[in-house]
Amino acid sequence: MSWGSELWDQFDNLEKHTQWGIEFVEKYSKFVKERTEIEFSYAKQIRNLSRKYQPKKNSREEEENKYTFCRAFLTTLNELNDYAGQHEVIAENLTSQIICELSRYLQELKSERKSHFHDGRKAQQYIESSWKQLESCKRRFERECKEADRAQQHFEKMDADINVTKADVERARQQAQMKQQMATDSKGDYSSYLQKFNQEQNEHYYTIIPNIFQKLQDMEEKRIERIGVCMKTFADVDRQILPIVGKCLDGMTKAAESIEPKDDSKQVIESYKSGFEPPGDVDFEDYGQAMKRTVSDTSLTNSKEPKEKPVSKTKGKLWPFIKNKNKLSLKLITLNSHVRNLIEGSGPEDFSHLPPEQRRKKLQGKIDDLNKDIQKEMDQRDALTKMKDVYVKNPQMGDPASVDPRLSEIGHTIEKLQAEVQKFEGWYTEVEERMPSKSDSHRKSGLYEAQNNSAVSSNSCAQDRESPDGSYTEEQNSETQLRAKPNLNPPTSSTPDFDDEFEDEETLPTIGTCKALYPFEGHNEGTISVAEGELLYVIEEDKGDGWTRVRRNEEEEGYVPTSYVDVFLETNAKDS
């Protein structure tokens, strides 16, 4: 079907139709452009979301990455970032392959359409002009014919009238002949122009207009074909990124499947294991046989004699649920600086503020870092040594002496690093020696069984475990050894005597109240967790070490930082 043969008289409608086709291309281009903006906006939001939940550098979140579920979440964020990148690829491909192409094509389409309709209007104007000329010839021929008829009738009338002179009749005859000749000429002109017009009209409707309409039809079909190609490209752009999107989703799935609850549970142990032994069994002491004791080095009669306490014997591990004031005071020697350092995020160089197991890990990590630094310096020294050898063999390449200052500097650096390694290795060896062994636990368990089997042996164990001053003693563990280190900054209050440990079991009186200004999580021994705004009882004010002892109820008490609470002491407590 051809527009030229079927739509020869629909010039105006074809003009409107082709204009609507151009407007449709513009509408589709606008649609793709808005889709592109949506893809860019979506990709930006996804990237911002991924960036928002990325772990911050030098923060606790980086430490969390040692857990499998945290690593899986980080992988998911990275895959999501790549997923956002694919939406940016969609937007870029839509812009380059559709929007830009359609923009150029629209300019060409408008120009071609304008040219075709210009030719059509020109042909239309020409045929209309020819038609007007034909009508003019026709009207002139008609007029001449009517005048010739009137002249002939006038001649015939004059010729029949006997009163008219011969001369008048002759003039009438000549006038009639002239008009007849003019009519004949007009008829020839009209016939000639009519034949010409029919030829032009035939050419117009069967050649010129069909050619122009055929060009318009081809243009319109190309436009429709281009729209189809763009719609296919629109789908292909999405289809092209599906494999990569699939890989991103596979990566998320693989990350989720890599989560190992058992490994994370082990990691919790590795992160928080202190290395301390659980408290041993409490020995039975038969006070009913105290009167049968003979005077000896372990009897109570000699408990007042000033004897130096054995270095290898001291009180066992103390726990926060024991209410004894003396025990908590003794424990604060170790915990005071330890908890303060944990809260402030600082600590001594030898990590003595940490429990043994965590201290050992920190020291091992420090030693590994120092060894890496030493290896780097040694590699630099080897490279400079080779360079110096080259200069010695080829003086024109450089002065060998110019390398000596740098070699000397590297040598001093290596010596310093090696000294640091030796220092940290010494601390590491010290921690390893102090770590409790499994045999200690078995030995304590055996002592407990022996006490159950024999009351006499139980009494004997109780007497043997008394110190010369009569206080209860136990094998020294790694925590009490750490208490003796000078860099733990103990409180200014003096350490209570051990011989009063079982004599002061009563609950301390309340000396005031306090309100928590900030939340505090008491994860360590001797501390107590408080919530912001919580009201507590004060049972011991700050002794200058920055800690205040408080009580929540009869069974729950501990220390909180003085700066975290607002203390209201009773009047009699202030006076004392």
Side-chain angles (χ1 to χ4, degrees):
M1 300 293 289
S2 172
W3 287 7
S5 61
E6 303 293 335
L7 303 175
W8 59 272
D9 57 344
Q10 299 298 320
F11 186 89
D12 293 338
N13 287 331
L14 288 179
E15 186 176 16
K16 293 178 181 178
H17 177 79
T18 52
Q19 178 61 33
W20 172 77
I22 291 176
E23 291 174 355
F24 182 86
V25 174
E26 292 175 340
K27 181 173 71 172
Y28 184 76
S29 179
K30 183 179 179 182
F31 158 73
V32 177
K33 185 176 181 180
E34 291 183 4
R35 162 76 190 281
T36 300
E37 292 173 354
I38 291 173
E39 292 293 343
F40 272 125
S41 176
Y42 179 67
K44 182 179 179 181
Q45 292 179 17
I46 292 294
R47 284 195 185 277
N48 290 340
L49 178 66
S50 174
R51 192 180 302 111
K52 177 182 177 181
Y53 286 93
Q54 287 283 350
K56 307 298 184 296
K57 291 185 177 180
N58 301 324
S59 68
R60 185 174 181 272
E61 293 182 357
E62 283 191 335
E63 291 292 326
E64 294 174 352
N65 286 334
K66 57 192 174 184
Y67 297 102
T68 59
F69 63 89
C70 291
R71 291 198 299 270
F73 180 58
L74 179 60
T75 301
T76 300
L77 293 178
N78 294 333
E79 294 293 349
L80 190 63
N81 190 63
D82 295 341
Y83 176 81
Q86 296 311 305
H87 283 275
E88 291 178 347
V89 171
I90 290 177
E92 292 169 357
N93 289 341
L94 289 176
T95 301
S96 62
Q97 299 179 25
I98 296 181
I99 297 176
C100 294
E101 290 296 325
L102 284 182
S103 179
R104 287 193 295 267
Y105 177 69
L106 272 172
Q107 299 299 324
E108 297 174 359
L109 184 63
K110 290 178 180 179
S111 177
E112 183 180 359
R113 176 182 175 277
K114 182 178 180 181
S115 175
H116 293 329
F117 278 102
H118 178 267
D119 294 341
R121 288 192 187 92
K122 187 177 179 180
Q124 195 77 16
Q125 291 172 0
Y126 181 78
I127 198 67
E128 289 176 357
S129 176
S130 296
W131 172 256
K132 289 179 181 179
Q133 289 181 3
L134 177 63
E135 287 292 319
S136 177
C137 290
K138 179 181 177 181
R139 286 192 297 272
R140 187 171 68 251
F141 170 62
E142 181 182 7
R143 186 175 62 252
E144 294 294 338
C145 287
K146 289 180 179 180
E147 289 179 356
D149 288 341
R150 284 195 299 270
Q152 183 65 30
Q153 290 175 3
H154 179 68
F155 165 69
E156 291 177 353
K157 183 179 180 182
M158 291 290 288
D159 187 42
D161 190 358
I162 59 174
N163 295 323
V164 178
T165 62
K166 188 176 182 179
D168 290 337
V169 172
E170 186 62 26
R171 282 197 298 271
R173 184 182 64 78
Q174 291 179 355
Q175 185 68 23
Q177 289 179 348
M178 183 184 67
K179 292 294 183 181
Q180 189 66 36
Q181 185 62 39
M182 290 177 63
T184 301
D185 293 341
S186 296
K187 180 180 180 181
D189 293 341
Y190 172 65
S191 176
S192 160
Y193 205 84
L194 179 61
Q195 184 179 5
K196 178 184 176 183
F197 174 78
N198 287 333
Q199 291 177 353
E200 290 177 348
Q201 181 176 255
N202 184 71
E203 184 180 4
H204 176 79
Y205 287 111
Y206 289 96
T207 304
I208 297 175
I209 290 298
N211 289 339
I212 294 174
F213 282 10
Q214 185 62 44
K215 292 178 182 178
L216 288 172
Q217 182 179 355
D218 295 341
M219 179 195 73
E220 183 68 7
E221 290 176 356
K222 288 180 181 178
R223 177 191 69 81
I224 297 171
E225 183 181 2
R226 180 61 68 90
I227 287 293
V229 171
C230 290
M231 290 182 178
K232 183 176 181 297
T233 303
F234 185 85
D236 290 341
V237 165
D238 276 274
R239 186 176 292 107
Q240 289 170 0
I241 59 99
L242 286 180
I244 303 178
V245 170
K247 290 182 180 179
C248 294
L249 298 178
D250 290 342
M252 295 181 190
T253 303
K254 187 176 180 181
E257 292 173 349
S258 68
I259 296 177
E260 294 290 344
K262 297 295 183 182
D263 292 346
D264 289 343
S265 297
K266 293 178 182 178
Q267 188 60 51
V268 174
I269 296 174
E270 292 295 324
S271 299
Y272 299 108
K273 182 180 178 181
S274 66
F276 293 127
E277 282 288 329
D281 297 330
V282 179
D283 296 329
F284 176 79
E285 298 187 26
D286 191 354
Y287 289 98
Q289 298 184 13
M291 300 302 297
K292 299 179 182 180
R293 297 177 183 174
T294 58
V295 178
S296 64
D297 292 340
T298 59
S299 65
L300 294 176
T301 56
N302 293 332
S303 61
K304 301 301 181 179
E305 294 180 8
K307 282 191 177 183
E308 184 179 355
K309 298 178 181 179
V311 178
S312 61
K313 293 184 178 181
T314 183
K315 185 70 182 75
K317 181 170 176 62
L318 303 175
W319 299 92
F321 50 79
I322 299 177
K323 298 180 183 178
N324 191 292
K325 173 182 176 181
N326 295 332
K327 295 179 181 180
L328 282 173
S329 299
L330 177 62
K331 176 169 56 59
L332 279 178
I333 297 176
T334 302
L335 295 179
N336 214 10
S337 176
H338 169 53
V339 175
R340 187 186 300 111
N341 287 330
L342 288 178
I343 294 173
E344 297 175 357
S346 61
E349 183 184 15
D350 60 353
F351 305 109
S352 56
H353 63 293
L354 297 175
E357 182 67 22
Q358 302 301 321
R359 183 187 179 196
R360 182 181 65 81
K361 292 179 181 177
K362 287 285 187 181
L363 290 173
Q364 183 61 57
K366 186 69 175 178
I367 292 171
D368 293 341
D369 292 340
L370 289 172
N371 286 329
K372 290 179 182 178
D373 293 339
I374 291 174
Q375 187 60 43
K376 288 181 182 179
E377 295 294 330
M378 293 178 69
D379 292 341
Q380 267 191 326
R381 183 181 63 184
D382 295 341
L384 289 175
T385 303
K386 292 179 180 179
M387 183 185 296
K388 183 177 180 180
D389 294 340
V390 173
Y391 288 169
V392 171
K393 296 177 181 178
N394 302 283
Q396 68 275 11
M397 297 183 66
D399 183 12
S402 62
V403 185
D404 291 339
R406 179 58 181 159
L407 284 173
S408 178
E409 180 183 350
I410 292 176
H412 290 308
T413 304
I414 291 175
E415 291 177 0
K416 291 180 181 179
L417 291 173
Q418 289 175 343
E420 286 287 312
V421 169
Q422 292 178 359
K423 179 173 64 175
F424 280 95
E425 284 180 345
W427 287 331
Y428 184 84
T429 304
E430 179 183 353
V431 173
E432 287 288 340
E433 292 175 352
R434 292 176 178 177
M435 292 291 288
S437 61
K438 294 182 179 180
S439 60
D440 295 335
S441 301
H442 295 312
R443 178 178 54 77
K444 294 175 184 177
S445 177
L447 288 174
Y448 180 73
E449 292 175 359
Q451 292 167 3
N452 291 334
N453 292 334
S454 174
V456 177
S457 18
S458 172
N459 182 38
S460 177
C461 289
Q463 294 179 5
D464 291 342
R465 296 173 66 83
E466 284 184 344
S467 64
D469 60 355
S471 63
Y472 182 77
T473 62
E474 190 177 297
E475 293 259 338
Q476 184 177 9
N477 58 24
S478 57
E479 181 184 3
T480 51
Q481 289 181 4
L482 287 173
R483 290 174 188 158
K485 294 185 69 66
N487 57 3
L488 290 179
N489 301 323
T492 55
S493 59
S494 58
T495 304
D497 293 333
F498 291 166
D499 54 353
D500 294 329
E501 288 171 358
F502 289 93
E503 298 174 4
D504 188 15
E505 290 291 339
E506 69 275 11
T507 303
L508 291 176
T510 300
I511 62 174
T513 60
C514 68
K515 180 180 180 180
L517 302 176
Y518 314 102
F520 173 69
E521 297 182 1
H523 293 306
N524 301 280
E525 293 184 39
T527 61
I528 184 174
S529 300
V530 296
E532 183 178 354
E534 184 178 0
L535 295 176
L536 303 164
Y537 296 101
V538 179
I539 57 177
E540 182 177 332
E541 61 180 318
D542 190 349
K543 300 298 183 181
D545 55 8
W547 295 87
T548 299
R549 189 176 179 185
V550 299
R551 177 187 296 135
R552 179 177 285 112
N553 49 51
E554 293 299 328
E555 299 295 333
E556 197 172 0
E557 63 183 43
Y559 285 82
V560 296
T562 304
S563 59
Y564 277 52
V565 295
D566 192 5
V567 179
F568 306 94
L569 295 179
E570 297 176 358
T571 304
N572 56 354
K574 292 181 181 179
D575 296 340
S576 60

